[in-house]
Structure formats: C-alpha cells, structure tokens
C-alpha cells in the first residue's frame, strides 16, 4: 500500500509542478509564439481553436501545453489517451459529451485503431459524428451534430499517424525539442520553490546535466534529491546530496540509467558494437522493439553513443569509452543514414 500511496503523491506533485501561465512555461519559444497568434486570432473571431497536433519525445511538456491552451482560451479540457479508447462507442461517448468550445486532449493518439480513427475524420472536419446501428442488410447510419470543439493530440511516434489524420490538424503541427541546460535550471529552480526546497545553483546545474534534456526527468531527480536531503536532515539540496541521490538511482555522468547501459553493453559485448538489427537487439535485451526505438534510442542517438546504419544499430567509440572498453580499430562498421 505504501508504494501505491507514493505513486499517487508523485502524480499529485507532477500536477503541482505543471506551469499554469505562459511565462512559467520555459522553452519551446517558437511553438509558443505560433500558438499565441493562433489563439488570439480565434478569440478575436469568437471561434473555437483549430485542431493542433503536438509531437516529440516523452516528458517535454505536450500535456502542459494543452492545459495552458485551454486556460488561455477559457475552455474546459477533457483528457483521454489512445489506449483508453478501445471501441467506437468510447469515442462517440466522449465526443457527444463535449460542450461548445471544449478542448479534447488525446495523448498517444498514434495508438488509436483505424476504425476509431476514421470516426474522428468527420468529427474534426465538419463536426458531425456518423454512427452505424445494427449489422448486415438492416444496418443504418445516423449522423449527430457536434458542438464546435478543438482536438489537441500528442504523440511520441509521428510516423505511426496516418496521412489523413495528420492532414486534419488545421491549426498546425508542432514538434517539441529537447531542452538546454539553462532552460532546465530555470525549471528546476521554479519547481524547488513550489516544493519549498532550498537548492544551490551548483546542485541545480548538476541535476540539469543529468536530466536527459527533459523537464519531467529533471523534476523527478529534484524530488528524489529533496527526499534524500530530508531523510538525512540536510537543510539545502547541495551538490553532494545530488551526487549521492544520482548514485542511488544509478544515473551516471551522462544521464544514462542502468537500463540504458545494459542495452549498450549488449550491443558492445554480445555483438561487438554492431551492426545489429533492431529486432535482434530488442530480443537480446528482452525488450520490446518499440521500447528500444522510442525510449532508449532517442537519448543514445543524441549523445552520439549509437548510430543507425542500413545494416542496423552500431555502437560508437564514445559508447565503448563510456563503458570502459577499447573501441574497435575500424570504427563503426555501417554506413550512416
């Protein structure tokens, strides 16, 4: 029961740390400028905001942006996710319960099945819902009018969205990028104030450098450092506190966790650095190929620890050196793509 309670507390803290005003949302400046123009124009016309698609790696603030948009538009926001919408009736129930100018936020929209996705097309374009009642020769179709609403969708796998669905986000498609160390330090400092935790500038910088360029991870490491300082009766989160916390969590100098290092070690030790196919690497590490591609690879690619080649994944000399191995004399065996 203690674990469940802790998870609920963390969820509550995450909501508390979520920015509530545009000036509190750090980073993604180009996206914010575009969204502000889009929202102001919609408000001046007295219309619902056009549909918006947000994509990029997990933890960069897509949900926070959806909440801020709803706040700016003075709209109610209804939140769901692709996996939660299992049947056509689930989506129909959600859409028919929307009020005028509501915002529907669908996270992980790439996980909607095709039958449900097709129900969205007329809902997004003409605000109608087509429902087929019955089966076989006696089946009939009815059309329901929907109030003006805005769909904000988020995805970490843009390539899995069909072209017809992508094209219907008339308000724009925006890609969130990783954060800089300076941006992460601003987020950490703000979060520390909300948590009533004192933190030194050096400690904030240290957390920022190990946060995989991701605000969600920065806030998680901050919360765990706060826990360590509290338990050990240390009044301020300093560099020593952060280093000991990171050591306990298994986060190394590059921000790699044990699971990241394990994947790299398999690539280096079992396959000699590669090249090795994605499915083979996933099987060898007992991971789903989608998890390897979505969770581990983006960060390892950004650090320059792996490369994608036509023959498969290849560990770079940086990866060998980080793990304490001598890099192969010939370097990466594949040709970059």
């Amino acid at each position: 029961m203690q674990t469940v309670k802790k998870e609920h507390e963390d969820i509550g803290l995450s909501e508390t740390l979520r920015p509530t005003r545009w000036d509190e949302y750090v980073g993604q400046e180009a996206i914010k400028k575009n969204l502000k123009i889009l929202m102001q124009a919609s408000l001046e016309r007295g219309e619902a905001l056009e549909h918006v698609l947000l994509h990029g790696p997990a933890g960069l603030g897509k949900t926070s942006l959806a909440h801020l948009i709803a706040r700016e538009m003075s709209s109610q926001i209804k939140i769901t996710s692709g996996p939660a919408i299992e049947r056509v009736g689930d989506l129909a129930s959600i859409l028919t319960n929307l009020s005028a100018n509501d915002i529907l936020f669908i996270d992980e929209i790439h996980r909607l099945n095709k039958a449900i996705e097709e129900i969205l097309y007329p809902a997004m374009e003409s605000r109608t819902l087509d429902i087929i009642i019955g089966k076989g020769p006696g089946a009939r179709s009815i059309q329901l009018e929907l109030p003006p609403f805005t769909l904000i969708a988020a995805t970490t796998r843009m390539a899995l969205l069909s072209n017809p669905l992508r094209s219907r986000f008339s308000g724009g498609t925006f890609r969130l990028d990783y954060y800089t160390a300076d941006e992460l330090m601003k987020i950490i400092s703000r979060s520390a104030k909300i948590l009533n935790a004192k933190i030194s500038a050096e400690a904030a910088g240290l957390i920022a450098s190990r946060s995989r360029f991701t605000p969600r991870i920065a806030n998680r490491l901050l919360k765990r450092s706060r826990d360590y300082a509290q338990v050990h009766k240390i009044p301020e989160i300093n560099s020593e506190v952060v280093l000991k916390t990171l050591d306990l969590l298994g986060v190394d100098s590059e921000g790699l966790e044990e699971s990241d290092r394990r994947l790299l070690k398999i690539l280096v030790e079992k396959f000699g650095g590669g090249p090795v196919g994605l499915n083979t690497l996933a099987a060898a590490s007992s991971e789903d190929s989608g998890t390897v591609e979505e969770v581990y690879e983006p960060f390892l690619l950004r650090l320059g620890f792996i490369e994608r080649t036509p023959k498969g994944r290849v560990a770079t000399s940086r990866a060998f050196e980080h793990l304490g191995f001598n890099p192969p004399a010939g370097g990466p065996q594949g040709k970059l793509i």
Side-chain angles (χ1 to χ4, degrees):
M1 293 298 292
Q2 290 180 343
T3 301
V4 174
K5 182 180 179 182
K6 182 64 176 176
E7 288 175 354
H8 283 302
E9 288 174 351
D10 275 353
I11 291 171
L13 277 177
S14 296
E15 291 299 319
T16 301
L17 299 180
R18 196 182 298 285
T20 58
R21 302 192 310 269
W22 281 105
D23 60 355
E24 292 178 344
Y25 189 102
V26 177
Q28 314 297 343
E29 296 301 325
I31 294 176
K32 288 192 293 186
K33 288 178 182 177
N34 277 285
L35 287 174
K36 285 179 180 179
I37 292 173
L38 187 66
M39 289 186 293
Q40 184 176 340
S42 297
L43 288 170
E44 289 179 358
R45 291 193 299 266
E47 298 174 354
L49 187 72
E50 293 184 78
H51 308 301
V52 172
L53 177 61
L54 305 172
H55 68 104
L60 298 185
K62 295 184 286 293
T63 303
S64 293
L65 270 179
H67 280 274
L68 286 173
I69 291 170
R71 198 177 184 90
E72 186 77 7
M73 298 297 295
S74 300
S75 301
Q76 295 292 320
I77 184 169
K78 308 292 177 65
I79 300 173
T80 187
S81 66
I85 305 173
E86 298 178 345
R87 298 178 297 274
V88 170
D90 296 333
L91 180 60
S93 176
I94 292 169
L95 292 173
T96 54
N97 279 286
L98 294 174
S99 299
N101 298 319
D102 276 357
I103 287 176
L104 173 60
F105 177 62
I106 302 181
D107 199 8
E108 298 183 88
I109 195 170
H110 61 272
R111 295 179 65 179
L112 284 178
N113 70 50
K114 297 304 176 186
I116 295 173
E117 184 180 302
E118 288 176 2
I119 297 294
L120 271 178
Y121 298 162
M124 294 173 70
E125 281 195 321
S126 55
R127 298 195 178 96
T128 58
L129 180 62
D130 297 318
I131 301 176
I132 298 176
I133 299 175
K135 295 181 179 180
R140 60 192 181 90
S141 176
I142 63 171
Q143 190 174 82
L144 301 177
E145 293 293 327
L146 297 173
F149 76 97
T150 300
L151 173 62
I152 300 178
T155 179
T156 56
R157 302 191 69 182
M158 186 68 166
L160 294 186
L161 264 64
S162 67
N163 286 328
L165 181 57
R166 286 201 301 264
S167 67
R168 283 169 168 82
F169 287 95
S170 52
T173 298
F174 303 100
R175 186 186 189 283
L176 280 72
D177 204 354
Y178 285 109
Y179 282 65
T180 66
D182 287 343
E183 289 171 339
L184 288 173
M185 284 187 67
K186 291 178 183 177
I187 291 170
I188 292 165
S189 297
R190 173 184 174 272
S191 296
K193 290 178 182 178
I194 294 173
L195 297 173
N196 293 317
K198 292 183 179 179
I199 184 169
S200 68
E202 293 78 10
L206 189 55
I207 291 175
S209 69
R210 307 283 185 96
S211 296
R212 305 166 75 101
F213 318 108
T214 304
R216 182 182 296 164
I217 295 175
N219 281 329
R220 176 170 63 84
L221 296 180
L222 171 63
K223 289 184 286 184
R224 297 294 75 81
S225 298
R226 180 198 61 165
D227 292 345
Y228 185 96
Q230 177 184 324
V231 169
H232 290 84
K233 305 297 187 289
I234 301 173
E236 181 185 61
I237 301 172
N238 54 36
S239 296
E240 184 179 358
V241 166
V242 172
L243 286 171
K244 289 184 175 179
T245 300
L246 294 171
D247 186 57
L248 285 171
L249 295 173
V251 179
D252 66 22
S253 59
E254 295 285 354
L256 298 185
E257 299 179 0
E258 181 56 38
S259 53
D260 302 299
R261 292 191 295 274
R262 179 172 169 271
L263 189 74
L264 277 183
K265 283 181 180 178
I266 289 172
L267 179 55
V268 168
E269 293 181 318
K270 191 167 184 176
F271 299 103
V276 60
L278 173 62
N279 291 333
T280 303
L281 182 60
S285 58
S286 300
E287 295 279 5
D288 177 75
S289 59
T291 301
V292 172
E293 195 170 27
E294 289 181 55
V295 178
Y296 301 123
E297 276 197 349
F299 184 54
L300 294 174
L301 284 166
R302 188 175 179 86
L303 288 181
F305 281 172
I306 64 171
E307 293 170 344
R308 288 174 175 167
T309 76
K311 295 181 180 180
R313 273 59 177 174
V314 173
T316 65
S317 57
R318 283 202 68 203
F320 278 84
E321 291 165 1
H322 185 70
L323 295 175
F325 295 95
N326 292 322
Q333 300 300 307
K335 183 181 179 181
L336 291 182
I337 58 173

